[in-house]
Each structure stands twice: as C-alpha cells, then as structure tokens.
Amino acid sequence: MTAAGTHRLTAADMRELADPEGGAGLARRLRAAELSKHKLLLEQVRKRLGRDRPGETFTAFESLRNRLVAVEKTHPDLVARVLATPHLGAWTAQSLMALDAGRDPDIEYFAALVAAACERAGQRFEISLPIHSGPLNLPGVGMVRASDGRVRVTEPVRVRAEAGGLVLEASLDPGDPQLAGCGLRGMPLGPADLAAWREAVPEAWAVLVRYSRPTAAAVAEAVTTIVPMRPAPDGLPTGATSGWAFGAIGLALAPTPEAFAEGLLHESRHVLLGGVMDLVPLTRPAGRRYYSPWREDPRPIDGLLQGCYAFFAVTGFWRAQRHLGSAGERLRGDVAYARWRGATSDAADSLARSGELTPAGRALVEEMRRRLDAWRDEPVAAEAAQEAETLLRGHRERWLARHA
C-alpha cells in the first residue's frame, strides 16, 4: 500500500480557517491529510493484530489487506476513495478500541470494504467470512450487501443539490455500525423519509448558495456523508460529528430551509476544525471545564473551541439571512443573529482568558474576536435584542443552578 504523505498547514491555511466564509481549499487539503491518517491507523491496526491476535484474526486481516494492495496497483484512485471514507476512519478507531479492551475488531466490516473495492475494480474475489454488519453505504464505492454467500454492490443512496452552478452531493447513510460507534447514530429511512430528505437538501442548499458561494463551496468540500438523525423533541437543531470520521455529519431535518442550512453549515465547520486539529494543536487542555452558551453541560477547552468556531460561522450566516423574507422571518433572523453574536463573543472571551490555547489557537480566537467586535454594534430590532438577551440570560441561569 502506498505510504502516507507528509502534511503541514501554512499561514494561508490558518487565515482561511479564520474566515467564516472560507474553507473550500482548506477542506480539499484536509481530505488528503485524512487519507494519510487513515493509512497510518490501518497500519497501526495491522501491528496490533499481529501482536495481540496473531492467529486467525490476523491472518484474515492480512489476506484482506493484501487483496486491497493488489487492487491499488491497477486502481489507485479507487482504493484511495475507499481508504478516505469516514467509514474506514471510524472502523480503525473502533478496532483499536476493541483491541485495547481485549476484543477482536469487526473484521467482517473490513471485508465488506475490500469486497466493494474489488467489485468496483471488476476483479473476482472470495471472502470466507460471513458479513453480519448489514448494508454498508460507502461514498464513491456503493452499497454493499451480503446474501446467499455473495457480495453485491449497488449505487449508494445519495442526496444531490445544485444552485447557482454549485453542487452538493453526499451519501445518505442511516445505519452504519462503525459510524454509530463514533456517535453518529442514524434513524431508519422509509420511502417518505427519503423523499423528505431529497426535498429538504436542495432547499437548504439554495439558501446557503444565496448567502455565500464561498461558504457553500466549503460545505460541499467538507461533507461527503450525512447520517440522518431524529429531530430533538424541543425542535432545537440536532447534529453530530466525530474526529474519527472526517467528512461525515449527523443531522436532523429542520422545520425551515434556513434552519436546515444553518445545521449543514454548523456541522461542516466542526468537520473543518476537526481536520485542522489533527494536524495542528490548538489547545493545551488542563482538565478544566467551561460554561458553553449552547450546551447544558460544562465543556473542556477543545469542546468550547469547537462550539465557538461553529457558532462563529452560524452568526455570520444569520448576519446576512436576517435581512431576507417576511417581517416575521426577519425578526427571527434578528433574534438568531443577536443571540449567537452575544453567545459566541462570550465563548471567545472565555477561550482567550483560559490560558489553554497554543499560539495557533490564540491566533484563531483573536481573529474571531476581531470580527465579532466589528459586528457587535450592528443594530437589530429592539424586540429581537430583548428576546436574545432573555434567552442568553435564561440559559446561563439554568446552567449555573445546575453546575455552580
């Protein structure tokens, strides 16, 4: 298997990271870095299996890996796509955790990945392992199903949207067990659910493209897999990402295209920052926990930075979106802008005072603070400002009552 590459972020990359509308070029470079990360993790799984499971499990893994190496010689781009999937990243993480706990990893899952690569490459293959993991939806590869001793690969379930010449295309993966093990737990999709997703994604995409083509381009580059999640009972946005599954986001349908666009943007920024944090340390955690204006639990410094960065982009989104639509929609946009502007400013100030940021982390936070300060005096409707302040104060009071 080809070796992992060497990757470094430049000063220009870090400036792009700090731009609430930037990130498309950075996301492309991060994808290359994540491919190298996955190759290193796969080699670590191999070494651990050879040490801890030198018998049948290691033999099965080596046979599958050798098959993948053989496919790579004739179809390197195809194998690169397989290795770069969030599914492979999630599997390597789950495998290493299983070995740490004295358990065998799910070799059957890796067998399905290799089988999919062989199928797409038009190569004959045999797999003696029964595959119990269920269908695997692999971006750029296909949906893998096993029955009657045969592996079949069909086109994956996808959602696609185009607006203003920009395209968002992602696989829709409701039930992958390895993604679920990394916190991306989906919900089953019936025909009506799938139709709703295929309607909602283009509507939200049109909102994002209208807001900012550079922002939309960054979302398209960062997001390759969407795990559909159940909406929260209180109607609040629901989403998730994992540092082990670059390119995958969990997301629930939202009541409006604008709210769904916010969710897409929010989760894509988590993907972007997570990829950067794989290459450049932004924090030096000391174990303290902090108040976070969008969470009910105290957050470590990494979590506070992730939230601040995502809501920084969301604030920029509502800064523009609040001027569009009906009077009621403009008022709701003003509330969202005022609320997240205040919350993100408070979080950025906490980060700046924490003493737990690296020089790179401090530079990112200071740039966010600079932009937030420039937005601070932009007027919003008096009613919106009052409602936003009530929401912010109420959240802090509830948090303090629970955790102070």
Side-chain angles (χ1 to χ4, degrees), residues 322 324 326-336 381-385 387:
R322 69 198 180 101
L324 304 176
S326 66
E329 289 169 333
R330 293 197 301 273
L331 178 62
R332 287 192 294 274
D334 259 0
V335 172
E383 180 183 353
E387 183 175 346

Side-chain angles (χ1 to χ4, degrees), residues 31-50:
R31 282 209 309 269
E34 291 295 317
L35 171 59
S36 292
K37 172 186 168 182
H38 290 180
K39 288 180 178 180
L40 293 172
L41 287 170
L42 195 62
E43 180 61 19
Q44 182 66 15
V45 171
R46 178 175 177 268
K47 290 179 178 177
R48 288 288 305 277
L49 284 171

Side-chain angles (χ1 to χ4, degrees), residues 40 52 77 79 248 290 306 349:
L40 293 172
D52 300 342
D77 291 343
V79 171
Y290 297 86
Q306 274 281 8
D349 290 344

Side-chain angles (χ1 to χ4, degrees), residues 308-345:
C308 186
Y309 183 71
F311 275 99
F312 174 57
V314 166
T315 302
F317 170 77
W318 285 113
R319 179 173 179 251
Q321 190 63 35
R322 69 198 180 101
H323 297 298
L324 304 176
S326 66
E329 289 169 333
R330 293 197 301 273
L331 178 62
R332 287 192 294 274
D334 259 0
V335 172
Y337 176 55
R339 181 184 184 183
W340 299 130
R341 179 179 62 182
T344 309
S345 294

Side-chain angles (χ1 to χ4, degrees), residues 293-379:
W294 35 76
R295 294 282 299 236
E296 298 301 322
D297 55 333
R299 300 296 289 158
I301 192 70
D302 286 351
L304 184 63
L305 179 59
Q306 274 281 8
C308 186
Y309 183 71
F311 275 99
F312 174 57
V314 166
T315 302
F317 170 77
W318 285 113
R319 179 173 179 251
Q321 190 63 35
R322 69 198 180 101
H323 297 298
L324 304 176
S326 66
E329 289 169 333
R330 293 197 301 273
L331 178 62
R332 287 192 294 274
D334 259 0
V335 172
Y337 176 55
R339 181 184 184 183
W340 299 130
R341 179 179 62 182
T344 309
S345 294
D346 289 346
D349 290 344
S350 294
L351 287 163
R353 293 191 303 265
S354 70
E356 296 188 61
L357 300 176
T358 65
R362 285 197 299 272
L364 173 61
V365 169
E366 286 308 314
E367 178 59 19
M368 289 193 289
R369 294 177 79 198
R370 185 188 70 80
R371 291 178 184 257
L372 289 162
D373 284 345
W375 298 345
R376 192 183 301 274
D377 295 328
E378 293 180 350

Side-chain angles (χ1 to χ4, degrees), residues 61-340:
F61 174 84
E62 278 289 86
S63 175
L64 292 164
R65 181 183 176 280
N66 290 340
R67 169 58 67 179
L68 197 59
V69 170
V71 175
E72 186 182 38
K73 291 177 180 178
T74 55
H75 296 77
D77 291 343
L78 170 62
V79 171
R81 287 200 301 273
V82 172
L83 294 177
T85 60
H87 306 71
L88 190 280
W91 180 78
T92 56
Q94 295 291 310
S95 296
L96 291 170
M97 286 187 275
L99 289 166
D100 286 342
R103 304 191 311 270
D104 279 346
D106 185 357
I107 298 298
E108 298 165 12
Y109 189 97
F110 186 56
L113 288 169
V114 175
C118 292
E119 175 78 8
R120 282 287 178 254
Q123 295 190 8
R124 292 179 59 85
F125 59 92
E126 285 187 11
I127 292 179
S128 59
L129 293 170
I131 298 176
H132 302 302
S133 306
L136 305 178
N137 190 8
L138 306 176
V141 181
M143 179 73 79
V144 184
R145 290 183 174 88
S147 62
D148 301 324
R150 296 187 62 190
V151 174
R152 297 175 177 84
V153 180
T154 58
E155 286 302 311
V157 178
R158 293 186 180 277
V159 286
R160 188 181 188 278
E162 182 172 359
L166 286 180
V167 175
L168 170 69
E169 187 170 8
S171 68
L172 200 62
D173 198 333
D176 183 88
Q178 302 299 318
L179 294 179
C182 289
L184 298 170
R185 296 177 180 84
M187 58 172 284
L189 292 182
D193 300 314
L194 183 56
W197 273 90
R198 285 180 165 157
E199 179 181 356
V201 170
E203 290 176 347
W205 185 242
V207 171
L208 276 178
V209 173
R210 184 177 65 229
Y211 157 59
S212 166
R213 286 180 64 87
T215 299
V219 172
E221 291 288 349
V223 177
T224 61
T225 301
I226 300 175
V227 177
M229 303 178 74
R230 297 186 187 279
D234 55 10
L236 291 175
T238 299
T241 56
S242 168
W244 294 112
F246 182 88
I249 65 171
L251 201 60
L253 292 175
T256 67
E258 293 75 19
F260 194 34
E262 175 190 340
L264 275 171
L265 174 58
H266 181 123
E267 299 306 329
S268 73
R269 302 316 272 192
H270 283 313
V271 170
L272 204 62
L273 188 62
V276 168
M277 293 172 77
D278 278 342
L279 294 174
V280 177
L282 301 178
T283 63
R284 296 192 182 97
R288 293 196 295 273
R289 295 292 185 267
Y290 297 86
Y291 170 69
S292 174
W294 35 76
R295 294 282 299 236
E296 298 301 322
D297 55 333
R299 300 296 289 158
I301 192 70
D302 286 351
L304 184 63
L305 179 59
Q306 274 281 8
C308 186
Y309 183 71
F311 275 99
F312 174 57
V314 166
T315 302
F317 170 77
W318 285 113
R319 179 173 179 251
Q321 190 63 35
R322 69 198 180 101
H323 297 298
L324 304 176
S326 66
E329 289 169 333
R330 293 197 301 273
L331 178 62
R332 287 192 294 274
D334 259 0
V335 172
Y337 176 55
R339 181 184 184 183
W340 299 130

